[in-house]
């Protein structure tokens, strides 16, 4: 037989990437949920990208990275989610996929095994993005496993690094939202359909959009929506370049 170099055998199958601006109080539970994944023996890696947090937060984020064996990256100034996504994907070595997570997401213990199975079964998929529920809510039931979609949020967002490279990275002009949907539209036009995944749902606090940062980000979010609509000629009916955003 051919003996492969040890480094090749140890490449992670999946990279978890978590962009953070502050949020150190939320990150630990997210990292614990990654560590608690069951039924998967393949190696994984975790990358935390600090998007220009203040020094006191940056110190805590770096400490958590060390505690959980994650790679810590730091952008010198705040550039928004797509810049952090691009930095994570540039550094990622996961051979199957990269999972982009908000730091306020909690994965159920069977999540990764299910996600890997889907990615192996769907080699031409663009993005898989899981639905969420907030703590204390009952997850939805009675839905199909997969739903074709392009309007997908990046809080739990899985794609291959190769397809990210082919699409030319995330659009950093949309700093806080719609950069994730923009990637799905581009992938769809290239023949790689994306899907919303209903099971197993993830827990999502939605801290940035419903919590203390909502007012701070509100103006930027509205501007990002305008940029997306202009880029894809979205009409009031939701049509974009002859395709309906789902």
């Amino acid at each position: 037989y051919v003996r492969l170099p040890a480094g090749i055998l140890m490449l992670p199958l999946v990279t978890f990437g978590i962009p953070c601006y502050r949020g150190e109080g939320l990150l630990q539970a997210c990292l614990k949920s990654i560590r608690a994944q069951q039924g998967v023996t393949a190696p994984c890696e975790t990358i935390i990208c600090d998007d220009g947090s203040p020094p006191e937060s940056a110190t805590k984020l770096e400490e958590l990275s060390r505690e959980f064996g994650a790679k810590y990256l730091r952008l010198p100034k705040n550039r928004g989610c797509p810049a952090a996504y691009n930095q994570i994907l540039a550094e990622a070595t996961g051979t199957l996929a990269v999972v982009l997570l908000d730091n306020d997401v909690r994965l159920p213990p069977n999540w990764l095994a299910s996600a890997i199975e889907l990615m192996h079964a769907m080699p031409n998929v663009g993005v898989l993005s899981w639905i969420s529920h907030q703590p204390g809510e009952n997850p939805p039931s009675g839905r199909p496993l997969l739903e074709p979609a392009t309007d997908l949020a990046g809080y739990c967002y899985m794609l291959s690094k190769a397809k990210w490279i082919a699409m030319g990275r995330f659009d950093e002009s949309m700093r806080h939202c719609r950069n994730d949907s923009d990637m799905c539209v581009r992938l769809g036009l290239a023949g790689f359909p994306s899907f919303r995944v209903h099971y197993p749902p993830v827990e999502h606090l939605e801290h940035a959009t419903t919590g203390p940062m909502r007012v701070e980000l509100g103006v930027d979010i509205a501007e990002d929506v305008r940029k997306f609509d202009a880029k894809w000629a979205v009409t009031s009916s939701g049509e974009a370049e002859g395709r309906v955003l789902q």
Side-chain angles (χ1 to χ4, degrees):
Y1 61 92
V2 177
R3 183 182 296 276
L4 296 175
I8 292 178
L9 294 177
M10 294 303 293
L11 282 177
L13 185 66
V14 173
T15 297
F16 289 97
I18 310 172
C20 293
Y21 176 70
R22 300 182 300 196
E24 60 272 17
L26 300 167
L27 179 61
Q28 186 176 39
C30 180
L31 292 170
K32 284 183 176 179
S33 77
I34 293 173
R35 178 180 282 179
Q37 292 303 297
Q38 300 173 355
V40 177
T41 57
C44 296
E45 69 175 350
T46 300
I47 299 174
I48 295 167
C49 184
D50 179 353
D51 188 16
S53 298
E56 62 276 13
S57 291
T59 297
K60 293 175 182 176
L61 292 172
E62 189 169 12
E63 289 173 354
L64 280 169
S65 300
R66 286 196 298 269
E67 178 184 345
F68 284 87
K71 184 174 184 178
Y72 176 76
L73 308 175
R74 177 167 168 80
L75 301 179
K77 63 179 182 178
N78 182 261
R79 292 169 51 195
C81 280
Y85 292 160
N86 287 331
Q87 190 69 30
I88 288 167
L89 277 144
E91 296 286 336
T93 59
T95 56
L96 178 66
V98 177
V99 180
L100 299 173
L101 292 175
D102 282 4
N103 62 3
D104 59 349
V105 165
R106 316 287 183 262
L107 301 175
N110 61 333
W111 183 87
L112 183 56
S114 172
I116 289 173
E117 183 177 353
L118 281 176
M119 286 296 287
H120 277 309
M122 305 170 69
N124 290 323
V125 73
V127 169
L128 295 175
S129 179
W130 277 254
I131 67 162
S132 68
H133 64 94
Q134 292 195 339
E137 290 182 343
N138 292 322
S141 61
R143 296 178 177 179
L145 174 62
L146 298 172
E147 174 189 357
T150 52
D151 190 13
L152 296 174
Y155 60 83
C156 184
Y157 189 97
M158 191 174 199
L159 76 166
S160 73
K161 181 170 181 174
K163 292 189 177 75
W164 167 77
I165 293 171
M167 292 300 104
R169 302 161 62 92
F170 283 90
D171 186 341
E172 296 185 14
S173 71
M174 304 175 201
R175 283 174 47 90
H176 296 293
C177 75
R178 290 303 201 187
N179 52 79
D180 35 27
S181 296
D182 171 77
M183 176 62 74
C184 292
V185 173
R186 285 188 277 150
L187 284 162
L189 292 172
F192 303 112
S194 296
F195 295 87
R196 186 175 291 111
V197 186
H198 289 108
Y199 306 101
V202 303
E203 188 176 277
H204 186 204
L205 299 180
E206 299 186 77
H207 178 73
T209 51
T210 64
M213 294 179 67
R214 177 177 59 84
V215 175
E216 178 181 336
L217 298 178
V219 175
D220 289 336
I221 288 174
E223 179 61 22
D224 288 349
V225 171
R226 285 193 290 270
K227 288 177 181 177
F228 177 87
D229 290 353
K231 180 175 181 178
W232 297 107
V234 176
T235 68
S236 59
S237 65
E239 294 183 355
E241 294 291 307
R243 300 166 62 87
V244 176
L245 295 181
Q246 299 167 306

